[in-house]
Amino acid sequence: MNHSSRSGFVLDRRRFLASLGAAGSATALSALPAGALVAAEAGSRPRPSPAQLAWQREELSLFVHFGINTFTDREWGTGEEDPKLFAPAALDARQWVQVAKAAGFRSLVLTAKHHDGFCLWPSATTTHSVASSPWRDGKGDLVREFVDACRDAGLRAGLYLSPWDRNHPSYGQGRAYNDIYIAQLTELLGHYGPLSEVWFDGANGEGPNGKRQTYDWPRIHATVRRLQPDAVMFSDAGPDVRWVGNESGSAGATNWSPVDPARVPAPGAGDPWTIEALQQGDPDGAVWRPAETDVSIRPGWFWHAHESDKVRTPENLLGLYFNSVGRNSKLLLNVPPNRDGLLDAPDVAALQGFHARKSALFAHDLLRGARVRASGGRDAEAVLDPDPDRNWQADPDARSGWLEFYLPAPVRFDVIRVAEAIAHGQHIAAWRVQLHTGSAWRTLSWGNTLGYCRLARIAPVLGQRLRLLIDFAYEAPRIAQVSLFRDPGAVAPIARPDDHSDAD
């Protein structure tokens, strides 16, 4: 992640796996979800694994950056911090989880270890952990409290284990550190029950004159597959979930879940064509690797008192939702606990406001009750059913088609939602939504990809007869849902979702 410390030293996350080099491509292929490589070899378009599908249908996940940096007011720790600094007075992981659940989030990801090497569980690999802190009298295990709180609330838990470790003396010693990292990973993946996501980022090394470590990614991926076969792995180059290419909260307007692994041959590249590949995916991609959009509710990733007046507004968070979930991605929103170990009041208020705005906007699907006609295929009425496993399927040999809707009375709307049935793959490459004016069809919104969800804002319009045109698809189109909404809060221009200035 592009974490900036107060000293101004900035991490280039694009260095992720840079030391891996060409081995990255082989790793990506060897660590594919079960069935993905078979589908590609058989010549058919890739589809999500059950784990990838469940991951994307969650839509919202809360990232929790918490650790020694919280108490030193840094984004990056040095690894030399005294564990006694870690002393949250009222830490309650249940509060984090309850706030997340009330705001509509379905999973959380915890920074079990950041670059400073401080472990939030009592690891046998180091004394630089909560076991050496005054918290819980040195007998605490925050990873345990976190996963238990998630499961008690019916939410799924994920963990982030930084490969960079600025504390452990074996870092930079090749196999010796890789053994330590695998041991830490084994502790996390083997002792805390099922996890939904294992998150890896690009931290590597101390700079040009410092330690450098070549990570054994094939071994790392194999360890995850063995101990957590139902978890998805995130990194720039997957193997299951890819970085979206920025940390501003915006997926590409064109965003394919299939990718060509060769377009990111050495993960960590920062050139424009690699960023474009991460943003857009590839319609001819051989593997399914959907994009995750990670962004923080504050300017920094860890909590800082001086940023409490810069928390994103509910309207800003709604914009993030439109530009991530509404562009075939998943939103991973970072909300860092404060020094007491609780989500801070401004952040909680912003999440509550976001949930209220989102719930009000999507409360009533104005297209319900419409009559539906289709260009062919079967089960056209399924697109009015919120069940994502029901869908309209065009004729098997069709590469285009249309759905037409006629409402009992005109409705006023300004938001359109269209969802492809991605359990069967992502195929649609060009679409339009049109309104019949009484004499002709007028295009209201159009685009390239749909995927899991496409949300489009338009100027408020009154309409009774509409149609969705699929101009081109790589295989027979399948549409899971078409919906119309009226945003009761859209009374002012929407601020850019990557701009914090509206919270100043």
Side-chain angles (χ1 to χ4, degrees):
M1 285 171 286
N2 275 331
H3 296 339
S4 301
S5 71
R6 296 190 71 186
S7 65
F9 183 50
V10 180
L11 167 64
D12 180 6
R13 68 164 290 159
R14 308 303 304 142
R15 291 180 297 168
F16 172 62
L17 288 179
S19 61
L20 179 60
S25 297
T27 302
L29 290 174
S30 66
L32 287 175
L37 189 57
V38 174
E41 290 175 345
S44 61
R45 294 179 60 79
R47 299 181 181 186
S49 69
Q52 290 170 317
L53 186 60
W55 171 88
Q56 184 142 28
R57 284 179 174 177
E58 287 177 345
E59 295 191 359
L60 297 173
S61 186
L62 201 76
F63 215 173
V64 183
H65 273 65
F66 186 67
I68 204 76
N69 292 343
T70 308
F71 300 90
T72 60
D73 206 22
R74 289 174 172 169
E75 285 290 299
W76 274 19
T78 65
E80 298 176 355
E81 295 84 1
D82 187 341
K84 292 183 175 58
L85 293 172
F86 186 84
L91 193 153
D92 187 357
R94 295 169 300 179
Q95 186 248 8
W96 310 347
V97 172
Q98 290 303 325
V99 168
K101 184 174 184 178
F105 290 73
R106 299 177 186 176
S107 64
L108 295 90
V109 177
L110 174 68
T111 57
K113 184 189 78 171
H114 205 251
H115 314 327
D116 48 73
F118 185 78
C119 297
L120 297 183
W121 78 102
S123 174
T125 66
T126 181
T127 59
H128 198 56
S129 77
V130 291
S132 299
S133 79
W135 176 69
R136 305 280 195 257
D137 295 323
K139 298 178 174 60
D141 184 340
L142 183 47
V143 173
R144 169 58 61 196
E145 293 187 18
F146 169 75
V147 297
D148 286 350
C150 288
R151 294 191 186 108
D152 288 348
L155 303 186
R156 300 206 300 165
L159 296 174
Y160 158 38
L161 183 70
S162 171
W164 189 16
D165 193 317
R166 305 185 77 181
N167 173 269
H168 206 283
S170 69
Y171 186 84
Q173 296 179 10
R175 176 63 181 264
Y177 176 73
N178 282 326
D179 288 346
I180 292 294
Y181 189 79
I182 290 295
Q184 292 181 348
L185 193 62
T186 299
E187 289 175 346
L188 291 175
L189 304 186
H191 298 166
Y192 295 96
L195 299 172
S196 61
E197 183 169 356
V198 182
W199 212 89
F200 299 116
D201 74 354
N204 191 329
E206 301 282 351
N209 300 316
K211 301 175 181 179
R212 296 293 294 180
Q213 173 71 35
T214 300
Y215 305 131
D216 189 347
W217 287 104
R219 187 179 172 198
I220 291 168
H221 290 169
T223 300
V224 178
R225 284 285 185 257
R226 176 171 56 86
L227 296 175
Q228 294 285 341
D230 295 326
V232 298
M233 283 182 274
F234 166 95
S235 81
D236 294 36
D240 303 319
V241 179
R242 76 181 195 269
W243 183 44
V244 79
N246 64 60
E247 291 176 340
S248 64
S250 183
T254 296
N255 182 14
W256 290 96
S257 291
V259 301
D260 176 4
R263 291 194 66 187
V264 191
D271 52 77
W273 45 91
T274 299
I275 298 299
E276 182 178 271
L278 291 166
Q279 275 264 294
Q280 298 184 357
D282 191 323
D284 294 320
V287 300
W288 187 272
R289 190 174 295 163
E292 181 176 82
T293 302
D294 61 311
V295 64
S296 186
I297 199 170
R298 291 167 171 250
W301 292 82
F302 286 89
W303 182 88
H304 308 288
H306 67 276
E307 293 181 351
S308 292
D309 62 346
K310 296 179 174 62
V311 175
R312 293 179 183 271
T313 65
E315 198 68 33
N316 188 277
L317 294 175
L318 185 64
L320 293 178
Y321 180 84
F322 267 74
N323 280 11
S324 56
V325 177
R327 289 183 174 179
N328 187 39
S329 183
K330 180 180 179 179
L331 178 59
L332 178 63
L333 179 67
N334 180 65
V335 185
N338 60 26
R339 289 180 183 174
D340 286 333
L342 301 172
L343 299 187
D344 217 355
D347 309 64
V348 173
L351 291 172
Q352 291 171 338
F354 162 61
H355 181 63
R357 279 286 286 115
K358 177 174 169 288
S359 297
L361 196 166
F362 297 113
H364 303 291
D365 184 351
L366 300 173
L367 201 56
R368 296 286 182 88
R371 298 200 311 270
V372 188
R373 294 195 308 129
S375 55
R378 56 181 178 79
D379 206 8
E381 293 79 10
V383 300
L384 302 180
D385 187 336
D387 181 354
D389 290 319
R390 291 196 62 204
N391 59 86
W392 166 68
Q393 180 183 4
D395 292 327
D397 58 348
R399 296 298 177 265
S400 62
W402 51 261
L403 289 163
E404 186 173 334
F405 306 89
Y406 191 86
L407 285 155
V411 297
R412 185 171 296 276
F413 61 97
D414 55 8
V415 172
I416 301 167
R417 183 183 190 276
V418 184
E420 202 168 348
I422 63 166
H424 303 276
Q426 184 183 1
H427 311 308
I428 294 170
W431 59 272
R432 290 176 285 164
V433 173
Q434 296 184 321
L435 170 72
H436 200 275
T437 64
S439 59
W441 290 101
R442 177 167 70 92
T443 297
L444 300 177
S445 187
W446 62 274
N448 304 121
T449 52
L450 288 174
Y452 168 76
C453 173
R454 183 67 179 219
L455 290 170
R457 288 188 181 274
I458 62 171
V461 64
L462 187 70
Q464 187 172 8
R465 184 181 172 195
L466 299 98
R467 69 181 180 186
L468 169 66
L469 292 177
I470 306 300
D471 293 316
F472 177 73
Y474 288 91
E475 286 189 5
R478 286 179 180 260
I479 298 295
Q481 192 172 8
V482 183
S483 302
L484 303 176
F485 303 97
R486 178 75 170 111
D487 186 355
V491 295
I494 303 300
R496 286 174 54 91
D498 57 351
D499 180 14
H500 281 282
S501 62
D502 61 321
D504 290 340

